[in-house]
Amino acid sequence: MKTSDFYFDLPKELIAQDPLEDRSASRLLVLDKATGQTEHHVFKEIVNYLNPGDCLVINDTKVIPARLFGSKVGTDAKIEILLLKRREGDVWETLVKPGKKAKPGTRISFGDGLLMGEVLEVAEEGNRLIRFTYEGIFEEILDRLGQMPLPPYITHQLKDKNRYQTVYAKHDGSAAAPTAGLHFTPELLDKIKEKGVNIAHVTLHVGLGTFRPVKVEDVTEHHMHSEFYGVEEDQAELINRTKASGKRIICVGTTSCRTVESASDENGVLHAGSGWTDIFIYPGYRFKVLDALITNFHLPESTLLMLVSALAGKENIEKAYAEAVRERYRFFSFGDAMLIV
């Protein structure tokens, strides 16, 4: 299986640059994975595709304002840092631009010294381990100085930080939003609950591996970056009970999908707990927990496109994406949605 097998031509103007004012007003392409048939709807109509007793699984991670702009102490050279994951205490693994200005021992000042960082070492793939020092609470300082780490294909400035956050975001830790969840409003979630659909919360802190291109031609040789996940006992019980009753598990986003698939055994039983996952789902994978998926439209040759192809079949996805391009759907993080049933 080749990476180039997952290429498709996407006109640049279809890459959504701004979120819609009404989250639930996005378009929704519904794909039947058994027949390949498609339907076109508005996202808020998704409630019509959910049945009483089904379980919607959402990822309640919260995006941190992880992009920081500072200057190198002693030279005033400008340095940009992206927080990837907390290693321990105040030591973070980061992506630094330009990397050549961030050798071990380099000190960086942010916000006129409100936050200071020292490069400890060069880690995997050129990432830097940085120890931060500050007075007060790190999260509050980050909220003051940091910017939302929008994907590289979004060039517009985000006017409201909360629009790159789901309405149910709870646990700080992501370097990117679980974007399928951006379409939900509190009102829509209430309607879903009123219909008798259960909602389960899991957590997966999304890393930048989400946006990393697949650089190998043989898909199976691609190495996924690990991300931290957690599943609470009562949420695992809810999901297992739903499966046992013959109802569906519908994951909101590839991150929720990867969490439940990582935390389940070969019999499809989900286990509570936390840890790191580098699960890579591509065609040939047998899904153990997930039955249906709500997701956005993904980049050509990306691991996420491979995941949806594993679920719906590569040919069905190719046809659905070609139709989405023809119908001028909006793509990627702030774009429209797809429901695979």
Side-chain angles (χ1 to χ4, degrees):
M1 198 181 322
K2 294 180 178 178
T3 301
S4 54
D5 293 339
F6 296 89
Y7 177 79
F8 67 93
D9 193 31
L10 180 69
K12 245 185 182 167
E13 66 270 17
L14 295 187
I15 300 173
Q17 292 294 326
D18 302 288
L20 296 182
E21 200 166 316
D22 175 2
R23 291 172 182 260
S24 62
S26 303
R27 296 166 74 187
L28 177 70
L29 189 151
V30 180
L31 170 64
D32 185 320
K33 61 181 184 283
T35 66
Q37 294 297 308
T38 55
E39 294 178 16
H40 302 279
H41 294 276
V42 177
F43 190 83
K44 61 186 70 170
E45 295 170 351
I46 199 162
V47 70
N48 300 328
Y49 286 89
L50 307 176
N51 302 322
D54 285 344
C55 183
L56 199 65
V57 183
I58 60 177
N59 179 9
D60 61 8
T61 187
K62 192 172 186 179
V63 186
I64 58 174
R67 180 166 273 126
L68 290 162
F69 296 90
S71 55
K72 184 174 175 179
V73 174
T75 68
D76 286 337
K78 301 302 176 195
I79 292 181
E80 178 185 338
I81 284 180
L82 194 59
L83 302 177
L84 298 178
K85 56 188 172 192
R86 191 192 288 265
R87 284 292 188 92
E88 54 183 354
D90 290 315
V91 177
W92 285 75
E93 184 175 339
T94 68
L95 192 65
V96 179
K97 290 198 303 189
K100 62 186 177 192
K101 291 182 181 173
K103 295 181 171 62
T106 299
R107 296 182 72 240
I108 307 164
S109 170
F110 306 92
D112 294 327
L114 192 62
L115 180 67
M116 298 295 296
E118 182 184 353
V119 180
L120 301 180
E121 61 179 90
V122 179
E124 186 186 359
E125 295 198 356
N127 294 343
R128 266 56 174 178
L129 293 189
I130 294 182
R131 178 185 287 118
F132 291 98
T133 53
Y134 50 90
E135 285 186 16
I137 299 169
F138 182 74
E139 287 74 15
E140 288 181 1
I141 293 170
L142 196 59
D143 204 45
R144 281 179 62 184
L145 300 181
Q147 292 184 10
M148 280 301 192
L150 294 179
Y153 47 75
I154 294 177
T155 56
H156 290 191
Q157 277 293 109
L158 186 62
K159 292 171 189 166
D160 177 6
K161 273 185 186 180
N162 288 325
R163 289 305 275 108
Y164 194 58
Q165 207 79 270
T166 62
V167 295
Y168 45 75
K170 187 177 178 184
H171 301 291
D172 284 331
S174 273
T179 53
L182 296 178
H183 303 284
F184 287 91
T185 62
E187 296 77 18
L188 180 56
L189 289 167
D190 286 343
K191 274 189 185 174
I192 288 167
K193 289 176 194 167
E194 284 165 15
K195 193 170 181 180
V197 177
N198 294 307
I199 298 178
H201 296 244
V202 298
T203 306
L204 181 133
H205 293 319
V206 190
L208 279 196
T210 299
F211 304 115
R212 283 191 191 276
V214 179
K215 294 179 178 175
V216 291
E217 184 55 10
D218 181 349
V219 166
T220 61
E221 291 178 2
H222 176 69
H223 170 65
M224 289 285 281
H225 286 253
S226 60
E227 295 166 312
F228 187 81
Y229 75 88
V231 180
E232 298 290 337
E233 188 77 50
D234 59 337
Q235 304 303 295
E237 284 174 10
L238 172 57
I239 291 168
N240 289 331
R241 202 163 58 241
T242 303
K243 287 295 280 187
S245 70
K247 298 295 185 179
R248 297 178 303 167
I249 303 299
I250 301 153
C251 288
V252 177
T254 56
T255 60
S256 299
C257 162
R258 289 172 48 243
T259 303
V260 298
E261 292 296 315
S262 295
S264 58
D265 61 28
E266 285 308 308
N267 298 316
V269 176
L270 184 65
H271 297 275
S274 61
W276 295 86
T277 178
D278 59 358
I279 189 171
F280 180 18
I281 297 174
Y282 53 86
Y285 179 84
R286 184 179 68 83
F287 288 85
K288 299 172 288 186
V289 178
L290 173 143
D291 297 298
L293 178 69
I294 299 165
T295 186
N296 280 19
F297 291 91
H298 304 296
L299 279 77
E301 300 185 331
S302 64
T303 59
L304 304 182
L305 186 59
M306 293 169 193
L307 185 153
V308 296
S309 298
L311 178 62
K314 186 169 171 294
E315 195 175 308
N316 285 343
I317 289 293
E318 282 174 358
K319 287 180 180 173
Y321 269 56
E323 189 172 338
V325 169
R326 278 198 309 275
E327 296 291 330
R328 313 296 285 173
Y329 271 68
R330 299 161 71 246
F331 276 67
F332 307 160
S333 296
F334 288 142
D336 294 315
M338 174 187 261
L339 169 63
I340 301 172
V341 292

